[in-house]
Amino acid sequence: MTTQTILYILLAGIVALLLALFQYKYKAKGASKKNALFAFLRFLSIFGVLLLIINPKFQQITIFNEKPNLVLAIDNSNSIKHLNQVENVSTIVDNIRNNKTLKDKFNIDVFSFGATLNVLDSLSFKEQQTNIDKAFKALNQVYKKTVAPTIIITDGNQTYGNDYEYAAKKYKQPIYPVIIGDTAQYQDLQLKQLNVNKFAFLKNKFPAEAILLYTGDQNVNTKFVVTSGNNTVYSKNLNFSQDDNSIILNFTLPANSVGVKSYRAAILPITDEKNKANNSKNFAVEVIDQKTKVGIVTSVLHPDLGMLKKSIETNEQRKVVFLKPKEAISQLNDLQLVIVYQPNNTFKNLFEALKLQNKNKFVIAGPKTDFKFLNTVSENYQQDITSQTEDYQPKLNLNYSAFIIEDLDFESFPPVFANFGEPNFSVPFETVLYKTVGSISTEEPLLATFEINGRREAVLFGENIWKWRAQSFVNNESFNSFDNFTGKLIQYLASNKRKNRLNLDYESFYLGSSTIVMSAQFFNKNYEFDANESLNIIVTDKVNKTSQTIPFILKNNNYQVNLSTLPASDYTFTVKATSETISKSGSFKILEYNVEQQFLNADVSKLNTLASQSNGNSYFVSNYKTLIDYLAKDERYKPIQKSSKNSVPLIDWKYLLVLIALTLAIEWFMRKYNGLI
């Protein structure tokens, strides 16, 4: 309480006293003893009211004990069921959660993890993927500034994601792994990895690579076989030993007909092999009969050029060649798309040839572009010419309708370097990305597309897009998202197909353990995205002839349906609009594969390393009760006494209001009783 407030309170007391004396002393007519009581009651009433007006604040200190957290993270993946450890895990979880000593000492927080970390609802052991790295990253965000020893119940086998040892190093909490699964070593053959491109070209041979592993101490003979239906398309005899326990096979397979071709690669099991699920893998390749050749025409050197080639060629259907403006003219017939990078007046003949052949093109303009020349040769748009430059960040147009675009968190991308000024289009166009300056979003296009006279064109006003691909990798730990965006843009520009009101985005085949999501866009008669339509997909299993209808849900600028619950099989489908007779059909395959069944043993060495580097200990199912006793007795984990200091205003003190009302009531009744009213 400040000195000023204390002075106000003293002044309020003096004023209240003077008013009470004035009422019952100076103007008194009755007995002096009663007047003294009346004056005292009036003094309390007036003083209480003045205190409420001053409203002084008092410091309230609350002392409490805060228990440390005990984090219990449980592997909810299918591998626990495959290793026959469901009962053991459930028993361990129940004993830890219900242990009275641990409940008194800790706040027990329970999570489950598979592909992601979740607050535990129930254990199903149906998760198709395990990402322990992601689980530790999520826990680090929650318990970064607290004491939270962590028990992780798992077999230690991760199916995707970064090595979880590195994420655990950043998680500054003691980790106590309870190791689930068999630790004994058995003889086992494993098809560890199979690398095959998604696409192959008709009448060519496509490469494949198989990594084969053997665990055991004997010499064994086996055979590696690749089959398609009932036909064997490749085979090789193999020999393994304790010292020579891995083989990398590189081979090629023929692509004789167009379509999705399914294969099964398998290493024949040895006698008494315990886990045969990891001996084989199904895979598929889509055979196509054409390849898109993209020419990047430039007279300058820039990192964008290498990025574009790398990003475009991630799709094996596409090949990129670099050309000078003069070279490009003679090769236009061989190119399905021309990317013109930062043109100047040396591109004049090329632009005339592109116009003459009505060729699709993608113009990338930046500070090295001669905009005076570009404005001359471009009939469809003009750029304001200034000597100033600006950094523009991208912002996705959620209503873009030419093709389906996934939001890559474009607003987190670094800015491109561009000329200041607004482009002006003389033809109808659609903006893919808007310009953003700092926190100010503009309606100016940064990347736009348009279609005129059967020709498609895109224009990007900025350079340094190589930074976008790098940032996409930082965001997603993969280049796939950005490369898919580039691929869709190239596919749109390289095609002259008529625009459809219903567009679908899906793969020809999926692995059984992957998330299967199909996207769709529906447009009204003016080719504007229609968010009010209801779309349904009718999926038919070609093998058992069963069908089911699943509705799409609206998400941002497209409709989506999750088909991950479908079993492995061949499917045909039809997507229909409810209000109009518009539909589109197709087919896809789901390949049988459960990555969680590829493991025979727990990864003991990695979990032991995890425990030692975090100052924890590892335990097995047989001695997990030792862990409970250890945590109960560990002196590092004690309640922390904390204090909470709050500033409480007097007006919140209800008893003062009661006191004021009470003194006024007593004074009134006493005066009434004595005939003074």
Side-chain angles (χ1 to χ4, degrees):
M1 193 182 301
T2 63
T3 304
Q4 185 180 14
T5 303
I6 294 172
L7 291 175
Y8 281 142
I9 293 173
L10 292 174
L11 182 60
I14 295 170
V15 171
L17 181 61
L18 291 175
L19 289 174
L21 292 175
F22 176 78
Q23 180 72 27
Y24 290 106
K25 182 72 175 173
Y26 179 74
K27 300 179 68 177
K29 296 180 180 179
S32 60
K33 288 184 179 181
K34 291 181 180 179
N35 287 343
L37 179 59
F38 293 153
F40 177 69
L41 293 172
R42 180 60 60 90
F43 165 76
L44 290 179
S45 301
I46 297 173
F47 185 57
V49 172
L50 292 175
L51 280 179
L52 288 178
I53 295 172
I54 297 170
N55 194 23
K57 292 180 175 60
F58 299 92
Q59 299 297 328
Q60 184 181 53
I61 298 176
T62 305
I63 298 175
F64 60 94
N65 291 330
E66 184 178 273
K67 294 190 290 186
N69 298 302
L70 177 62
V71 179
L72 183 58
I74 306 145
D75 190 338
N76 196 30
S77 66
N78 189 248
S79 64
I80 302 297
K81 183 181 290 185
H82 178 65
L83 296 172
N84 298 317
Q85 296 294 321
V86 171
E87 186 176 346
N88 285 334
V89 171
S90 300
T91 301
I92 294 170
V93 172
D94 289 341
N95 286 342
I96 292 175
R97 294 182 73 176
N98 298 321
N99 185 274
K100 186 176 185 306
T101 305
L102 292 182
K103 288 168 70 175
D104 291 341
K105 186 173 182 178
F106 297 98
N107 293 317
I108 301 177
D109 297 333
V110 188
F111 300 89
S112 66
F113 64 86
T116 59
L117 183 75
N118 304 289
V119 176
L120 180 65
D121 180 19
S122 62
L123 291 171
S124 62
F125 305 104
K126 292 182 179 179
E127 294 272 355
Q128 296 297 313
Q129 297 277 10
T130 306
N131 191 342
I132 304 176
D133 167 73
K134 196 169 186 178
F136 275 121
K137 286 180 178 177
L139 289 173
N140 190 41
Q141 293 295 320
V142 178
Y143 299 102
K144 196 170 187 177
K145 296 181 179 180
T146 62
V147 176
T150 300
I151 301 173
I152 179 169
I153 303 174
T154 180
D155 56 12
N157 294 313
Q158 179 169 276
T159 58
Y160 80 104
N162 295 332
D163 191 332
Y164 59 84
E165 281 188 43
Y166 298 102
K169 285 180 180 179
K170 297 179 181 178
Y171 182 58
K172 303 300 182 182
Q173 306 287 353
I175 300 172
Y176 301 93
V178 177
I179 302 171
I180 301 299
D182 201 341
T183 59
Q185 293 294 323
Y186 300 94
Q187 286 194 117
D188 183 55
L189 290 169
Q190 180 182 5
L191 175 52
K192 180 67 175 177
Q193 191 166 331
L194 189 66
N195 299 319
V196 186
N197 291 330
K198 292 175 104 177
F199 302 97
F201 302 106
L202 186 64
K203 304 301 181 185
N204 285 348
K205 289 187 174 183
F206 60 91
E209 180 183 67
I211 302 175
L212 310 171
L213 301 179
Y214 166 69
T215 302
D217 54 5
Q218 300 179 15
N219 295 335
V220 297
N221 301 317
T222 185
K223 192 175 187 179
F224 178 75
V225 180
V226 180
T227 57
S228 178
N230 296 322
N231 300 320
T232 299
V233 294
Y234 177 82
S235 65
K236 187 175 179 64
N237 294 320
L238 304 172
N239 300 307
F240 291 96
S241 66
Q242 185 176 7
D243 297 325
D244 190 11
N245 58 4
S246 65
I247 294 176
I248 299 177
L249 287 181
N250 291 287
F251 54 95
T252 58
L253 300 174
N256 296 325
S257 59
V258 175
V260 178
K261 306 301 174 184
S262 298
Y263 299 88
R264 180 180 176 83
I267 180 170
L268 301 184
I270 56 180
T271 306
D272 299 327
E273 186 172 351
K274 189 173 182 180
N275 184 15
K276 298 178 183 179
N278 61 3
N279 287 40
S280 62
K281 287 186 179 181
N282 295 308
F283 67 97
V285 174
E286 185 174 1
V287 181
I288 55 177
D289 62 356
Q290 63 178 352
K291 188 168 184 175
T292 302
K293 189 175 181 181
V294 179
I296 299 179
V297 186
T298 180
S299 60
V300 298
L301 296 176
H302 197 279
D304 286 349
L305 303 174
M307 182 280 293
L308 286 169
K309 178 177 173 65
K310 188 72 174 178
S311 184
I312 294 170
E313 289 187 343
T314 53
N315 186 335
E316 293 292 328
Q317 298 181 73
R318 301 187 177 110
K319 180 182 179 181
V320 174
V321 293
F322 291 108
L323 301 167
K324 297 290 184 183
K326 291 183 180 179
E327 299 173 336
I329 297 173
S330 61
Q331 298 187 36
L332 284 182
N333 289 332
D334 298 328
L335 302 175
Q336 281 70 53
L337 175 64
V338 177
I339 299 177
V340 181
Y341 190 81
Q342 307 232 36
N344 52 41
N345 55 12
T346 62
F347 287 69
K348 182 178 180 182
N349 294 333
L350 174 62
F351 273 87
E352 291 176 353
L354 289 170
K355 181 179 179 182
L356 186 65
Q357 296 188 27
N358 204 36
K359 204 83 171 179
N360 294 353
K361 63 179 179 286
F362 179 16
V363 177
I364 300 177
K368 299 180 182 64
T369 301
D370 185 346
F371 278 102
K372 195 173 289 185
F373 162 76
L374 185 60
N375 287 345
T376 302
V377 297
S378 173
E379 301 174 350
N380 304 311
Y381 58 88
Q382 302 285 306
Q383 165 74 25
D384 293 341
I385 299 176
T386 67
S387 59
Q388 294 178 308
T389 55
E390 184 61 83
D391 289 330
Y392 293 112
Q393 282 188 286
K395 180 182 178 182
L396 179 64
N397 175 17
L398 296 177
N399 295 317
Y400 182 75
S401 64
F403 54 89
I404 298 173
I405 299 178
E406 180 184 353
D407 190 355
L408 308 183
D409 192 15
F410 284 99
E411 294 181 34
S412 71
F413 284 11
V416 295
F417 188 48
N419 289 68
F420 182 79
E422 182 178 358
N424 299 297
F425 286 81
S426 57
V427 295
F429 70 98
E430 285 193 85
T431 300
V432 183
L433 299 172
Y434 290 111
K435 293 178 180 178
T436 299
V437 183
S439 60
I440 302 173
S441 178
T442 72
E443 294 299 315
E444 298 179 17
L446 178 61
L447 172 62
T449 62
F450 57 89
E451 187 171 350
I452 186 81
N453 297 327
R455 184 185 78 251
R456 292 178 175 177
E457 188 171 337
V459 57
L460 172 67
F461 298 96
E463 65 178 24
N464 292 337
I465 55 174
W466 66 270
K467 296 181 180 180
W468 290 1
R469 189 170 188 257
Q471 184 62 45
S472 179
F473 182 85
V474 172
N475 292 349
N476 304 296
E477 299 178 356
S478 169
F479 292 115
N480 291 342
S481 297
F482 184 83
D483 291 342
N484 287 339
F485 167 71
T486 306
K488 290 179 180 180
L489 181 61
I490 297 301
Q491 181 179 357
Y492 167 77
L493 292 173
S495 172
N496 286 319
K497 291 181 181 178
R498 184 175 174 267
K499 192 173 182 179
N500 296 313
R501 290 182 59 191
L502 177 60
N503 294 324
L504 303 179
D505 184 19
Y506 65 98
E507 301 287 344
S508 300
F509 57 88
Y510 301 90
L511 288 177
S513 58
S514 63
T515 301
I516 304 172
V517 176
M518 182 182 293
S519 299
Q521 281 187 323
F522 185 82
F523 306 104
N524 60 26
K525 294 180 180 180
N526 293 326
Y527 290 100
E528 298 169 331
F529 180 71
D530 187 350
N532 298 316
E533 184 57 68
S534 295
L535 298 180
N536 294 293
I537 181 171
I538 304 169
V539 185
T540 303
D541 189 327
K542 293 168 65 176
V543 178
N544 57 29
K545 308 302 181 183
T546 58
S547 297
Q548 56 180 303
T549 301
I550 307 171
F552 281 78
I553 60 172
L554 182 64
K555 186 176 180 181
N556 294 332
N557 64 328
N558 60 69
Y559 295 88
Q560 291 186 357
V561 62
N562 193 318
L563 304 175
S564 302
T565 57
L566 296 177
S569 188
D570 289 0
Y571 293 93
T572 59
F573 68 87
T574 301
V575 177
K576 292 183 177 181
T578 303
S579 61
E580 298 190 52
T581 56
I582 296 176
S583 64
K584 183 169 283 191
S585 299
S587 63
F588 61 86
K589 292 185 178 183
I590 301 178
L591 305 178
E592 187 173 0
Y593 178 66
N594 189 336
V595 67
E596 291 290 341
Q597 295 181 3
Q598 304 302 304
F599 304 105
L600 180 64
N601 301 99
D603 196 338
V604 178
S605 60
K606 182 165 286 189
L607 291 174
N608 283 336
T609 303
L610 202 68
S612 60
Q613 74 182 13
S614 65
N615 296 321
N617 299 306
S618 58
Y619 299 84
F620 294 95
V621 174
S622 58
N623 67 339
Y624 77 91
K625 291 184 179 179
T626 308
L627 169 60
I628 296 176
D629 296 335
Y630 177 83
L631 290 172
K633 297 175 183 177
D634 196 327
E635 294 297 320
R636 289 180 294 173
Y637 313 126
K638 292 183 177 180
I640 300 172
Q641 190 176 78
K642 292 187 175 182
S643 62
S644 175
K645 187 177 181 180
N646 295 321
S647 181
V648 182
L650 185 65
I651 199 170
D652 291 342
W653 195 52
K654 294 178 290 186
Y655 298 108
L656 182 58
L657 294 174
V658 174
L659 179 63
I660 294 171
L662 188 61
T663 54
L664 289 172
I666 292 172
E667 181 187 352
W668 186 86
F669 279 112
M670 289 186 68
R671 293 186 65 191
K672 182 74 172 177
Y673 180 78
N674 287 280
L676 299 177
I677 296 179

